[in-house]
Amino acid sequence: MLEPASFLDLEHTSHGNLFANGEPVWSALKQIAPYLAAKDNFPQSGEISEHAHITGQVQIGEGTVVEPGAVINGPTLIGKNCTIRTGAYIRGNVITGDNCTLGNSCEFKNCLLFDNCEVPHFNYVGDAILGYKAHLGAGVILSNVRLDRANIKIRHEGENIDTGLRKFSAIVGDRTEVGCNTVISPGSLLGRDCILYPNSHWSGILGDRTIVKVKQTQQLVERRSGD
């Protein structure tokens, strides 16, 4: 269940060859940099603001809009009909599919976004793979480094699997919705069609079509005179 097909439909990316048969889904993260380094043509089209800051080898697909104040460092591949909003910070080794939204005050590095991903507001996406139609609510953070800086390990069927990666945040499966201000711990694998309530904290493997609910305790008191 740790192979790419358990989380992702490779028909919804033009970069399926990043995934090797028989290898766990996170292995693709190690392939992004060499995959981009081997590419020698980075055409740019779409509507690119003269006030966007673009450096290095950056491909921008047809119909994509890059707004003023966006920062894109190469090597980076941006698909067709995407929106790169003001304040987006793309640090390099980033690949997006078509029809993606990379929003204001969002930071991206060493990641792969499948088609129709939405990362619109105040998000961090580093060392991650987001599946088809995955959506991150405002303020979602995909944490990519353990506090002790050790390799990321996955707990699966009673075994701790060493990924060999010191930086690896999450796999977010196709059509999964992550609610606002949620924090995903390093090495998390979220299945397809999941919902995580706002203000969740998730660590580990989440099965397909699972809802993570958060119940908040609230206390109502009368406001005293003079308060």
Side-chain angles (χ1 to χ4, degrees):
M1 69 171 288
L2 302 181
E3 294 187 358
S6 296
F7 302 89
L8 308 165
D9 184 348
L10 299 187
E11 294 296 318
H12 290 291
T13 179
S14 298
H15 311 282
N17 51 348
L18 287 167
F19 300 90
N21 289 332
E23 292 294 322
V25 61
W26 59 79
S27 296
L29 293 171
K30 295 182 288 186
Q31 305 305 318
I32 293 174
Y35 179 78
L36 292 173
K39 183 176 172 60
D40 57 10
N41 184 28
F42 290 79
Q44 294 184 5
S45 56
E47 182 182 336
I48 304 172
S49 170
E50 63 179 338
H51 299 294
H53 183 74
I54 300 175
T55 60
Q57 296 176 309
V58 175
Q59 177 175 315
I60 298 174
E62 295 178 3
T64 287
V65 175
V66 181
E67 295 181 352
V71 175
I72 307 176
N73 297 328
T76 287
L77 303 183
I78 305 295
K80 299 177 181 178
N81 302 311
C82 296
T83 301
I84 314 300
R85 293 178 178 167
T86 297
Y89 179 29
I90 300 173
R91 290 170 47 192
N93 289 328
V94 171
I95 301 173
T96 84
D98 300 335
N99 307 302
C100 292
T101 299
L102 284 71
N104 64 294
S105 301
C106 294
E107 181 178 347
F108 303 84
K109 56 88 69 173
N110 196 58
C111 58
L112 170 63
L113 278 60
F114 279 48
D115 297 339
N116 296 84
C117 279
E118 293 182 325
V119 186
H121 314 286
F122 307 104
N123 306 118
Y124 178 72
V125 180
D127 305 287
I129 300 172
L130 275 57
Y132 173 61
K133 287 190 174 181
H135 173 251
L136 304 186
V140 170
I141 302 299
L142 305 183
S143 178
N144 65 336
V145 180
R146 288 170 47 129
L147 292 177
D148 61 5
R149 303 300 192 269
N151 280 0
I152 308 298
K153 294 182 179 180
I154 306 292
R155 183 72 176 173
H156 176 58
E157 296 182 346
E159 179 183 1
N160 281 325
I161 301 172
D162 190 337
T163 66
L165 299 171
R166 192 175 65 85
K167 294 186 177 182
F168 164 34
S169 60
I171 308 299
V172 180
D174 298 332
R175 298 174 300 277
T176 282
E177 297 271 350
V178 184
C180 296
N181 293 320
T182 289
V183 175
I184 307 298
S185 287
S188 293
L189 309 179
L190 310 183
R192 292 186 172 97
D193 301 296
C194 295
I195 297 175
L196 287 81
Y197 273 25
N199 297 307
S200 301
H201 173 215
W202 182 261
S203 177
I205 300 175
L206 184 65
D208 292 349
R209 304 187 61 81
T210 302
I211 299 176
V212 177
K213 294 186 175 183
V214 174
K215 292 185 177 180
Q216 184 182 60
T217 301
Q218 296 180 326
Q219 182 181 14
L220 304 182
V221 299
E222 183 180 356
R223 183 174 179 180
R224 297 174 298 178
S225 177
D227 284 356

